[in-house]
Amino acid sequence: AQTVTQSQPEMSVQEAETVTLSCTYDTSENNYYLFWYKQPPSRQMILVIRQEAYKQQNATENRFSVNFQKAAKSFSLKISDSQLGDTAMYFCAFMKGGTGTASKLTFGTGTRLQVTL
Amino acid sequence: GAVVSQHPSRVICKSGTSVKIECRSLDFQATTMFWYRQFPKKSLMLMATSNEGSKATYEQGVEKDKFLINHASLTLSTLTVTSAHPEDSSFYICSARDSRTVNTEAFFGQGTRLTVV
């Protein structure tokens, strides 16, 4: 079974600053995907960024980037130029590859990020 | 992006009654949908995998007779909480992927807040 660990229950960052959220996982799989999801107060889950395990290059999406260390099983999320709208709960998630749309997500416990003025 | 619609967004029911929650993929087909439960300030816990035209696959510890899942078409899955009790009060979220693509992104419904009184 896979496990996903987020060791930071809460984080705070000032507007325009950079913050890094940590995530580690444990798996014996070699083919898998990793995700960061954002859940704002509306509770709608929003995909922030996705990383395929077979890709060495770290994924980036505008102000969001990841540091994927496969050997260390680490998958941190960096948010640059933080904005008030980034305030949300952030979940790291793991999905086994190779089973198509039947693959389920395993979520970490989440990190609550507060962006302050 | 693809849209998953979940209905109702909020429901209050009396103890002992049943409640049905719908999850629809509006612009894509989904042979598989997923039902999660989320307690306040907690992570998403997978309850079951809903399979179109066949029985759902339940996670360990989830009572299949209490949480009935029906996936009668490629765009609709329903979760029925039978004989609801206050401890069933929670936030329920569904997700789905487009069956016609290899895109790994899962789209989430808006969630349903169930309160059993």
Side-chain angles (χ1 to χ4, degrees):
Chain A
Q2 286 69 230
T3 60
V4 179
T5 302
Q6 292 179 251
S7 59
Q8 305 153 314
E10 294 184 359
M11 295 277 286
S12 181
V13 63
Q14 284 192 320
E15 198 177 20
E17 297 297 307
T18 296
V19 64
T20 299
L21 309 183
S22 64
C23 172
T24 58
Y25 59 96
D26 189 25
T27 184
S28 58
E29 302 289 335
N30 196 47
N31 178 16
Y32 55 88
Y33 300 84
L34 295 164
F35 305 84
W36 278 98
Y37 279 91
K38 169 184 177 181
Q39 188 180 42
S42 67
R43 303 193 78 169
Q44 173 73 56
M45 294 290 285
I46 302 166
L47 177 66
V48 175
I49 199 164
R50 163 178 60 211
Q51 175 79 44
E52 292 88 343
Y54 62 84
K55 289 187 177 179
Q56 291 186 333
Q57 187 173 8
N58 289 324
T60 62
E61 284 288 341
N62 300 314
R63 298 182 295 107
F64 300 89
S65 62
V66 298
N67 183 0
F68 175 46
Q69 302 289 327
K70 190 173 183 179
K73 295 191 174 115
S74 170
F75 182 61
S76 61
L77 173 70
K78 185 171 83 171
I79 306 175
S80 304
D81 186 26
S82 296
Q83 301 175 359
L84 294 177
D86 296 333
T87 293
M89 194 76 166
Y90 287 81
F91 292 100
C92 178
F94 172 100
M95 185 183 80
K96 189 168 70 171
T99 53
T101 56
S103 294
K104 58 188 180 184
L105 289 165
T106 300
F107 288 91
T109 50
T111 296
R112 185 171 300 279
L113 177 66
Q114 180 72 48
V115 180
T116 60
L117 291 171
Chain B
V3 177
V4 173
S5 177
Q6 191 172 337
H7 178 80
S9 58
R10 292 175 183 267
V11 58
I12 301 173
C13 71
K14 290 185 177 180
S15 192
T17 62
S18 296
V19 174
K20 180 184 286 187
I21 303 170
E22 292 187 347
C23 180
R24 292 181 185 274
S25 54
L26 296 186
D27 50 3
F28 65 96
Q29 294 179 334
T31 55
T32 305
M33 293 186 178
F34 303 89
W35 287 96
Y36 295 86
R37 182 172 180 175
Q38 186 179 29
F39 290 103
K41 299 185 179 182
K42 298 292 184 183
S43 187
L44 281 73
M45 300 299 296
L46 181 66
M47 297 175 65
T49 302
S50 173
N51 304 300
E52 187 267 334
S54 64
K55 291 182 179 180
T57 305
Y58 289 82
E59 295 299 300
Q60 193 172 11
V62 178
E63 298 176 59
K64 58 183 67 177
D65 293 332
K66 179 162 192 62
F67 298 99
L68 299 180
I69 291 172
N70 184 279
H71 195 152
S73 77
L74 286 171
T75 59
L76 175 63
S77 174
T78 60
L79 168 68
T80 301
V81 183
T82 63
S83 185
H85 288 96
E87 57 265 31
D88 298 325
S89 297
S90 191
F91 192 69
Y92 294 86
I93 309 176
C94 69
S95 78
R97 288 191 188 84
D98 191 334
S99 302
R100 298 165 297 178
T101 74
V102 294
N103 191 324
T104 56
E105 180 174 357
F107 300 98
F108 287 81
Q110 307 94 318
T112 298
R113 183 183 302 280
L114 170 64
T115 304
V116 184
V117 297

